[in-house]
Amino acid sequence: MVADLDRVPDWTHIFRLNALNDNELEAFSPTLPELLYLRRGLDQPGGKLPLFDLDGQEIEAAIVRRCLAAGWAKPWFNNPLKPDWLVCKLTMSGRAIAGEG
């Protein structure tokens, strides 16, 4: 991409972007495991997110916690039989990130 570096800084304030470095935008994007986790909730009633992956393995707690911290998921209810399990559902921003649009 060719850019007129004398003019680009004049436009960056409009988009709130740094014209030469967009690494900060990565902080707002989910990793592939997070995205796969979030997309599984799109087809579930109430946006319920899975406890297990497609291979029957428990979803890593770190993935769930990162989605909670980013606001893409929220706790749904406590499981009295397994209190350490995080039962979550999608938020509106989680649905947007997952691709529901």
Side-chain angles (χ1 to χ4, degrees):
M1 182 174 143
V2 178
D4 182 352
L5 294 179
D6 293 328
R7 297 198 54 174
V8 170
D10 295 335
W11 292 92
T12 58
H13 71 281
I14 295 172
F15 302 107
R16 297 178 189 235
L17 297 174
N18 183 334
L20 301 176
N21 184 354
D22 62 357
N23 291 339
E24 292 178 11
L25 296 177
E26 289 181 16
F28 301 109
S29 300
T31 63
L32 182 58
E34 293 164 355
L35 186 59
L36 294 174
Y37 171 67
L38 294 170
R39 284 188 175 168
R40 298 257 325 269
L42 291 175
D43 296 331
Q44 298 300 314
K48 181 188 178 294
L49 291 165
L51 297 173
F52 302 97
D53 65 19
L54 295 174
D55 294 323
Q57 302 299 309
E58 189 173 344
I59 300 287
E60 291 181 36
I63 292 171
V64 178
R65 287 193 180 94
R66 285 192 305 264
C67 290
L68 288 167
W72 301 325
K74 64 181 177 180
W76 197 349
F77 62 86
N78 293 325
N79 185 338
L81 299 177
K82 290 285 194 176
D84 55 326
W85 283 1
L86 295 170
V87 181
C88 300
K89 66 179 182 175
L90 285 171
T91 61
M92 293 304 289
S93 61
R95 287 183 181 278
I97 286 288
E100 189 174 71

